[in-house]
Amino acid sequence: MTPSPALLAQLGEVFREYGFEGASLSQITRATGLGKGSLYHQFPDGKDEMAACVLDEIGAWFEAQIYAPLRIAPDPAAAIALMMRNVETYFRSGRRVCLVGVFATGAVRDRFADRIAAYFTAWRDALATALGRLGRPDPAGLAEDAVAAIQGGLVAARAWDDPAVFARVLHRAQARLLGT
Amino acid sequence: MTPSPALLAQLGEVFREYGFEGASLSQITRATGLGKGSLYHQFPDGKDEMAACVLDEIGAWFEAQIYAPLRIAPDPAAAIALMMRNVETYFRSGRRVCLVGVFATGAVRDRFADRIAAYFTAWRDALATALGRLGRPDPAGLAEDAVAAIQGGLVAARAWDDPAVFARVLHRAQARLLGT
DNA sequence: AAACTTCTGTACCAATCAGTACAATCCTAA
DNA sequence: TTAGGATTGTACTGATTGGTACAGAAGTTT
């Protein structure tokens, strides 16, 4: 039983907007257009399974669009710049929260601990790899700071309801990464 | 009707752990030892009012312990270093989430928009004031980045379930603030 | 067309939810 | 001690919750 990427994207948006606890089945059926019968048919373990599938889909997207390019691109500096552009697009300039980050700071953190940690680890490590190839000092620390800056930039942009905040934080983080 | 700071602290911990939607009245009565009659007597508008009072209490604490010292301390560099130490203590080395940040990325963001934005603004501005007095370049940008780093450090520490991450992010953020 | 498989709709369930009402209890001032 | 105000406990409410069961509809294969 493989849920479609489109369905997982819809589920993801409900979880982003309402969080895990706040995303009731009513809201999910409304957002997806599927009834409870359909949802339970595809996700017999209920909301937990939906969220786990969504996290896996997000992880796969990031692997393809963010992490892998950082590891293998011939020009690490260009790859880092591209990462930042893709991050700005993916998070809708800070208007869309990072679902993994939201789960990390919520009551469901332990339920999805492996997936959450894996997402952050893969990102930090891929970025550190690119920084290492670029010859930047302390690649692990710079990578860790960048991942934190992106998460913090999202929180701040939401707090101020101002996407320009996210853009500025990203821009300055990129400059620190590249030493420019 | 002024709820005691101790009660507000207990409420704050329930909201931190379960989020706004997930913090049921059952959990709140359990955590506070007060029955529903008592809670509704003190907070006639229910959970919204509880959360608003908690946010105000947090804001007041930050004003006294974090923002005001940044604005008025004779030695801005020492004030910034003290801020970081206090932040590390307050957030229990990253084990305790920032409730304002959690609300900022949740469905209740709009309900408490003024309080959330005010918390972030006061912090950024107080820090920028200290940086300005220190003669640091782009104090507003540095301040914004530091506030984002703290938030992002909290998310990352939770994601990795590793307080050392928060400490490292704080340490490096402080070095950037002070130019050391 | 018939048989089989997959998917959907919906009635139902027990539990929980936030909130209301108010009697009872506790506390304080005179 | 009494009266009045503050606080608490709890029964009750209608609504919502996640989940179950399964008949019926839809899709696919022969």
Side-chain angles (χ1 to χ4, degrees), chain A residues 97-116:
Chain A
V97 298
C98 172
L99 184 60
V100 189
V102 166
F103 279 4
T105 54
V108 297
R109 195 275 306 265
D110 293 344
R111 214 177 305 183
F112 303 113
D114 290 350
R115 290 173 172 86
I116 292 169

Side-chain angles (χ1 to χ4, degrees), chain A residues 9-51:
Chain A
Q10 289 171 322
L11 286 173
E13 290 307 324
V14 179
F15 284 127
R16 282 187 187 87
E17 174 152 14
Y18 298 105
F20 185 82
E21 294 295 331
S24 65
L25 280 218
S26 297
Q27 279 158 338
I28 291 171
T29 58
R30 207 176 304 130
T32 60
L34 295 180
K36 287 216 269 183
S38 303
L39 286 170
Y40 275 95
H41 181 79
Q42 297 201 48
F43 305 98
D45 290 333
K47 270 170 72 178
D48 275 23
E49 191 178 342
M50 294 178 210

Side-chain angles (χ1 to χ4, degrees), chain A residues 33-180:
Chain A
L34 295 180
K36 287 216 269 183
S38 303
L39 286 170
Y40 275 95
H41 181 79
Q42 297 201 48
F43 305 98
D45 290 333
K47 270 170 72 178
D48 275 23
E49 191 178 342
M50 294 178 210
C53 289
V54 168
L55 289 176
D56 289 344
E57 181 81 1
I58 290 171
W61 188 92
F62 270 77
E63 175 60 35
Q65 308 295 330
I66 306 282
Y67 311 152
L70 286 172
R71 283 191 218 106
I72 64 175
D75 179 358
I80 289 166
L82 179 63
M83 174 194 87
M84 287 296 191
R85 281 198 299 280
N86 285 343
V87 160
E88 190 166 9
T89 302
Y90 179 84
F91 292 120
R92 311 246 163 92
S93 304
R95 286 190 207 85
R96 189 201 218 187
V97 298
C98 172
L99 184 60
V100 189
V102 166
F103 279 4
T105 54
V108 297
R109 195 275 306 265
D110 293 344
R111 214 177 305 183
F112 303 113
D114 290 350
R115 290 173 172 86
I116 292 169
Y119 170 89
F120 278 81
T121 299
W123 200 343
R124 185 196 59 200
D125 290 355
L127 188 50
T129 297
L131 291 165
R133 287 162 54 210
L134 203 51
R136 297 289 290 133
D138 190 19
L142 280 176
E144 191 169 75
D145 276 353
V147 171
I150 291 163
Q151 294 293 320
L154 288 171
V155 177
R158 287 277 302 194
W160 276 306
D161 195 12
D162 182 4
V165 171
F166 189 56
R168 289 198 295 271
V169 169
L170 284 202
H171 187 255
R172 287 188 294 258
Q174 178 171 331
R176 292 196 297 276
L177 286 179
L178 300 179
T180 59

Side-chain angles (χ1 to χ4, degrees), chain B residues 41-94:
Chain B
H41 181 81
Q42 297 203 47
F43 304 99
D45 289 334
K47 270 169 75 179
D48 275 22
E49 192 177 342
M50 293 177 210
C53 289
V54 168
L55 290 176
D56 288 343
E57 181 81 2
I58 290 171
W61 188 92
F62 270 77
E63 173 60 34
Q65 308 294 331
I66 307 282
Y67 311 151
L70 286 172
R71 284 192 219 104
I72 64 175
D75 179 358
I80 288 166
L82 178 64
M83 173 194 90
M84 287 297 190
R85 282 200 297 279
N86 285 343
V87 160
E88 189 164 11
T89 303
Y90 179 85
F91 292 119
R92 310 247 163 89
S93 305

Side-chain angles (χ1 to χ4, degrees), chain B residues 107-124:
Chain B
V108 296
R109 196 275 308 266
D110 293 343
R111 214 176 308 183
F112 303 112
D114 291 349
R115 290 175 172 84
I116 291 169
Y119 171 90
F120 278 80
T121 300
W123 200 341
R124 184 196 61 198

